[in-house]
Amino acid sequence: TVETAYVNRGFVENDLREPQQAESDFEIALKSDPKDGQAHLGLAFASLALNHSGEAVRQSELAQQYLGDSGTVHVIRATAYGREGLLAKAADEYKAAIRFTPDDGSLYLALGNVYFGQQQYRQALEQLNTAKKYLPDDAQVYAQLARSYAALQEKQPAMENVQLAERYAAKTPTEANAESYTQSDIYVDTGEALDTLGYQNAAMQRFTWALTAPKSDRVAVRLAIAQLMAQQGHAQEAERQIALAQMEAEAGATEPPTGDEYLEASNILEQLHEYQLSESYLQKAQAAGASDIDVRVDLANDYLALGDTTRAAAELAAVSQADGSRSDYSYLLAEANVYEQQNKGAKALSAFAEAASASGEDQTAEQQLLQTGANEGYRITPQISVLSNLMQEPIFEDSTVYVLDSKTFGHPPPYQGNTIDTALLPLPRYSIETDWTDAFHLHFGPAPTTGGFFQIRNARGLISVPAIGVVDRDTTDYNFNFGVAPAVRIGSSVITFNSGMQGTVRRDSLSPREMNQNIGRVYTFVSTSSFLDAVSATGYFIHDFGPFTEIPLNESTLAGAVDFRVGAPWSKTALITGWGANDQHFNSKTLGNTENYYTSSYVGLTRRFSTHLNIEGIAEDLRAWRVVPYAIVGSGTGTGSSTVTYSGIAQALRPAGTVDYSPTRNWDVQFQGAYEDTRSFHLYDMTQNGVVLSYTRPFGRTFNDETGEVHLKYPIRFSAGLQEETFPNFTHGRTQEFRPYVSINIF
């Protein structure tokens, strides 16, 4: 019946690492005196040892209520929050504890580890360097310093701290740190630092030492090796290391995996795209006491990778119900990806902004924020976003167009028996196009995103109009567009539509008779996520219609295309293939009817060698035919009613390639090259090559939405380059052209 005896025995049992017995004694004591602050404090320690983090926090708050504030209660809460993945709260508690014992180096070390977990490497270094003053012989401090410097790619201080960590780890551990780490732990940390710096052989050497070191945590070492194997693309070896870790633990050769180690194994399997196996390890992690928040966020990431947005959103909803905190990076990043998959651009933009603010030096969220900002546009209000683009580029026509022109617009025809009069062939030509586009997106509650644009487009130069002939133009188009973008879910896959209407007022200052036209358009663009993790598709259908204003001629065009990517979404290599067609009809009671048909089919491969380099190669088959009435082929006056027509067919084989290289986050350079082999008509064989250099500068602003104040970022992209076209077999006129390309994307 002596309540104090139960409290004292409970503390002894805590020291003896018997938390269950301690918990029982503290609960008996609290039944006698519910306001015993020492009993609440002891129960908080026991709950922490039993991985009951929520109960540890509650008991520490009760201890603080009855005993007053102390560094101890803040350390308990910091440890509990850290285990729950609530790193921002853990950091606040460690700061509070430091105010009570500012000379305790272990607190600075713990706070540095929290900052490292938040990717805030500069702040981690500040705390770790302070810890070094109070713990000058602690190998842990130097190992964590090495990892922090390595994360910032500061090689010299990282290597110096690798050496210091291993030197102090080799010494006989002191009584103070004998239980806090082993030599094996230090080798794992220094190995990971070396791996981050790119010294993978040296990292593997440390992991090998760690396996044979005394009291080695072989599970931790095997997982470190598995992570290295996964980075190198050795999937089978990575999975083998995870399996060995499990087998050695089951055989008693090492301690059983902790919840955090199961989490790490799950993350490695996720990198290897073994999502079902990753999910099973998350279940083991939860059973072993891992943070419920970490488990649910990792489950959400698995579901996101599989395109199962509904289940991912459900896991994150369970997190937010369990804890009101929204400040931790992994949760915010997963939430942003859910919104992006749901096609909720405005919410995704805000969520990526929150994640970027919590990301420290990790650039993942910021890069996704910029990409989402480029798609969504500059937010004026929570409902309205705007985008703008100014571009000038050359227009080079396909070789098949020249062949058809030579067969249908020649007067007299260039064909005399089996010979060709090259002097009568159409000369190489080009146009310069300048576009200014202002677009908008509208968001109103659960309704699908709507939007549109107003565009002024000017094109100057020579162009082939199928029903008219080759025209020297200075044409200005005024385009008005409005559409809606719903998303339809089929199982775990999503089909996104962008459908609407567009009107064009076309006026020309040089050739108004041949070019002036009013055009209507209805369109649907479609894109899908990956079906069965094997194939995704994009496509469109367009119907253009409208009269010429100066001549009795009406156009009706049907165009469509479908493109497939065959391969898992995460695969580095994929097959790409597609088909498209364009069927133009120009109808007139007095001028006759013209039809111009064009089709293209291609197949190729795309290969992502790294995050910096992507190469794509295709082989394309171009086919076209045209039927033109004689009256239009002649003077173009529209007189006469002859039914004589000219017709022609053309075919070309077009191998092409693209190299896209991004040396840094801000710079990108793209090389393009193509050769068109006009089958049976090689005078119009051509090469088309180009290079474009782009620089992206982030533009930031503060915006208030339903979640509060967020700092949004948008990319302002400047692009400039040179495009070239050459006709190696043509002998008349200019057979080579170099023309500049310029583009500015604002927001």
Side-chain angles (χ1 to χ4, degrees):
T1 59
V2 181
E3 179 256 337
T4 305
Y6 285 104
V7 173
N8 290 342
R9 188 169 68 178
F11 275 105
V12 172
E13 288 163 340
N14 272 339
D15 290 341
L16 293 173
R17 298 185 180 181
E18 298 174 355
Q20 289 181 325
Q21 293 91 325
E23 181 183 49
S24 177
D25 279 341
F26 288 128
E27 287 174 346
I28 293 172
L30 287 170
K31 287 179 182 177
S32 300
D33 183 4
K35 296 184 179 181
D36 188 331
Q38 289 292 337
H40 284 296
L41 186 64
L43 184 54
F45 278 118
S47 298
L48 202 60
L50 291 169
N51 274 324
H52 301 160
S53 298
E55 181 64 14
V57 170
R58 191 177 76 86
Q59 292 298 328
S60 70
E61 290 171 344
L62 290 170
Q64 184 176 356
Q65 177 181 342
Y66 298 123
L67 295 177
D69 201 6
S70 68
T72 302
V73 296
H74 290 293
V75 170
I76 291 172
R77 286 202 287 269
T79 305
Y81 286 138
R83 290 179 182 177
E84 284 299 301
L86 301 173
L87 300 184
K89 287 186 174 183
D92 290 340
E93 294 295 337
Y94 278 125
K95 291 175 188 176
I98 287 172
R99 288 196 290 269
F100 287 91
T101 52
D103 57 350
D104 186 344
S106 64
L107 295 179
Y108 295 103
L109 173 60
L111 181 56
N113 287 335
V114 169
Y115 282 137
F116 183 88
Q118 292 180 303
Q119 293 85 39
Q120 297 178 14
Y121 305 120
R122 295 290 179 194
Q123 291 177 276
L125 287 172
E126 181 182 350
Q127 299 302 322
L128 292 168
N129 279 312
T130 303
K132 184 171 64 173
K133 296 178 183 178
Y134 299 106
L135 303 171
D137 299 332
D138 195 318
Q140 285 183 105
V141 176
Y142 298 105
Q144 198 60 26
L145 279 167
R147 293 188 68 195
S148 299
Y149 281 120
L152 294 169
Q153 291 299 305
E154 297 184 14
K155 294 186 177 182
Q156 182 176 348
M159 295 301 296
E160 290 174 354
N161 281 283
V162 165
Q163 295 173 0
L164 288 169
E166 292 173 356
R167 182 190 307 168
Y168 284 109
K171 295 182 178 180
T172 303
T174 64
E175 184 178 348
N177 64 27
E179 298 297 330
S180 61
Y181 67 88
T182 66
Q183 192 177 38
S184 173
D185 298 331
I186 302 305
Y187 285 139
V188 169
D189 286 342
T190 57
E192 290 176 344
L194 291 165
D195 180 28
T196 303
L197 291 173
Y199 302 134
Q200 296 179 336
N201 290 336
M204 182 59 75
Q205 184 182 50
R206 267 65 181 183
F207 298 149
T208 303
W209 293 345
L211 280 175
T212 58
K215 299 181 180 180
S216 172
D217 182 353
R218 299 182 67 85
V219 171
V221 180
R222 294 289 185 193
L223 293 178
I225 296 173
Q227 180 65 59
L228 181 59
M229 294 295 102
Q231 290 172 1
Q232 294 177 330
H234 303 316
Q236 291 184 341
E237 181 58 28
E239 292 181 25
R240 177 175 172 272
Q241 291 297 326
I242 294 173
L244 284 172
Q246 187 76 39
M247 291 169 58
E248 289 176 342
E250 291 173 356
T254 187
E255 292 294 319
T258 65
D260 287 343
E261 287 172 335
Y262 277 122
L263 278 175
E264 185 178 352
S266 169
N267 289 332
I268 295 169
L269 291 167
E270 183 183 340
Q271 291 178 47
L272 300 174
H273 314 296
E274 296 285 354
Y275 297 110
Q276 291 183 339
L277 193 55
S278 171
E279 187 174 345
S280 71
Y281 270 81
L282 286 173
Q283 293 170 354
K284 294 178 181 180
Q286 195 166 37
S291 159
D292 183 68
I293 294 176
D294 287 341
V295 170
R296 290 189 182 277
V297 169
D298 284 356
L299 273 172
N301 287 329
D302 279 354
Y303 295 144
L304 283 168
L306 293 170
D308 196 342
T309 315
T310 302
R311 294 179 72 184
E315 293 296 338
L316 295 182
V319 170
S320 61
Q321 291 168 9
D323 187 274
S325 174
R326 289 178 45 84
S327 60
D328 287 287
Y329 175 55
S330 59
Y331 172 87
L332 293 170
L333 188 60
E335 181 185 52
N337 283 314
V338 166
Y339 286 138
E340 186 175 48
Q341 285 196 7
Q342 291 174 335
N343 203 32
K344 297 178 179 178
K347 288 189 174 183
L349 185 64
S350 295
F352 278 127
E354 287 189 81
S357 297
S359 65
E361 277 80 20
D362 189 344
Q363 297 297 317
T364 302
E366 181 166 337
Q367 291 302 305
Q368 292 181 278
L369 171 62
L370 290 172
Q371 182 177 347
T372 306
N375 295 331
E376 172 61 24
Y378 187 87
R379 297 189 72 182
I380 304 298
T381 71
Q383 291 78 34
I384 303 174
S385 302
V386 297
L387 309 88
S388 187
N389 168 258
L390 177 64
M391 179 182 68
Q392 184 178 86
E393 65 177 348
I395 301 176
F396 295 131
E397 294 180 296
D398 290 329
S399 62
T400 56
V401 177
Y402 289 98
V403 176
L404 293 181
D405 287 352
S406 70
K407 292 181 177 181
T408 58
F409 291 152
H411 187 68
Y415 304 95
Q416 305 295 333
N418 293 324
T419 63
I420 298 176
D421 186 352
T422 58
L424 298 177
L425 289 173
L427 297 176
R429 56 183 177 261
Y430 68 92
S431 297
I432 297 294
E433 176 183 337
T434 305
D435 296 343
W436 180 22
T437 306
D438 291 310
F440 62 90
H441 289 143
L442 303 177
H443 304 279
F444 295 105
T449 299
T450 57
F453 63 81
F454 170 69
Q455 180 187 70
I456 299 176
R457 174 182 180 270
N458 177 264
R460 294 174 290 108
L462 296 173
I463 188 173
S464 173
V465 181
I468 305 293
V470 177
V471 178
D472 187 10
R473 60 168 173 167
D474 188 350
T475 306
T476 301
D477 290 349
Y478 302 91
N479 298 311
F480 308 85
N481 175 286
F482 186 81
V484 62
V488 177
R489 179 167 293 279
I490 300 176
S492 62
S493 300
V494 177
I495 302 177
T496 303
F497 296 87
N498 184 0
S499 305
M501 300 184 66
Q502 182 174 314
T504 298
V505 177
R506 175 171 295 166
R507 296 297 181 264
D508 194 283
S509 61
L510 293 181
S511 304
R513 182 179 182 278
E514 293 84 355
M515 296 300 298
N516 285 5
Q517 189 179 4
N518 297 326
I519 306 171
R521 167 177 287 186
V522 292
Y523 64 87
T524 294
F525 289 84
V526 183
S527 63
T528 75
S529 61
S530 182
F531 286 91
L532 303 176
D533 294 330
V535 60
S536 58
T538 60
Y540 67 86
F541 173 80
I542 295 172
H543 176 38
D544 286 344
F545 52 90
F548 287 75
T549 63
E550 307 298 325
I551 54 177
L553 187 65
N554 192 77
E555 177 189 355
S556 177
T557 298
L558 294 176
V562 61
D563 301 285
F564 296 98
R565 182 187 188 277
V566 182
W570 51 82
S571 61
K572 292 184 177 181
T573 303
L575 173 74
I576 51 176
T577 186
W579 174 88
N582 185 303
D583 190 10
Q584 293 176 292
H585 290 263
F586 297 86
N587 302 317
S588 173
K589 292 182 179 179
T590 59
L591 303 179
N593 298 329
T594 297
E595 183 174 5
N596 189 74
Y597 183 82
Y598 170 91
T599 183
S600 164
S601 56
Y602 73 91
V603 64
L605 290 174
T606 180
R607 168 74 177 179
R608 186 181 71 253
F609 289 89
S610 69
T611 56
H612 301 286
L613 179 63
N614 191 81
I615 296 179
E616 182 178 295
I618 65 169
E620 185 176 12
D621 182 35
L622 308 175
R623 296 171 181 264
W625 55 267
R626 183 189 297 164
V627 178
V628 178
Y630 176 80
I632 297 178
V633 173
S635 63
T637 62
T639 61
S641 58
S642 171
T643 58
V644 177
T645 60
Y646 286 157
S647 65
I649 62 173
Q651 182 180 356
L653 181 64
R654 186 176 187 268
T658 302
V659 177
D660 196 332
Y661 177 62
S662 300
T664 68
R665 294 194 306 270
N666 301 98
W667 289 95
D668 179 82
V669 60
Q670 187 176 91
F671 302 92
Q672 296 176 321
Y675 175 75
E676 287 193 26
D677 181 351
T678 49
R679 313 304 290 173
S680 74
F681 203 89
H682 294 290
L683 286 173
Y684 284 115
D685 287 357
M686 66 166 67
T687 62
Q688 291 180 342
N689 303 291
V691 58
V692 177
L693 180 66
S694 300
Y695 173 73
T696 302
R697 181 179 180 83
F699 170 82
R701 68 179 291 241
T702 301
F703 183 81
N704 287 302
D705 66 3
E706 63 270 14
T707 63
E709 188 175 273
V710 292
H711 188 68
L712 305 179
K713 287 188 177 182
Y714 305 92
I716 300 178
R717 187 179 179 90
F718 304 90
S719 301
L722 191 67
Q723 295 189 0
E724 173 268 345
E725 181 180 62
T726 301
F727 293 83
N729 301 330
F730 207 79
T731 57
H732 295 281
R734 291 173 60 90
T735 60
Q736 186 175 46
E737 293 288 349
F738 290 90
R739 293 297 160 189
Y741 166 88
V742 180
S743 174
I744 301 175
N745 286 294
I746 303 175
F747 312 137

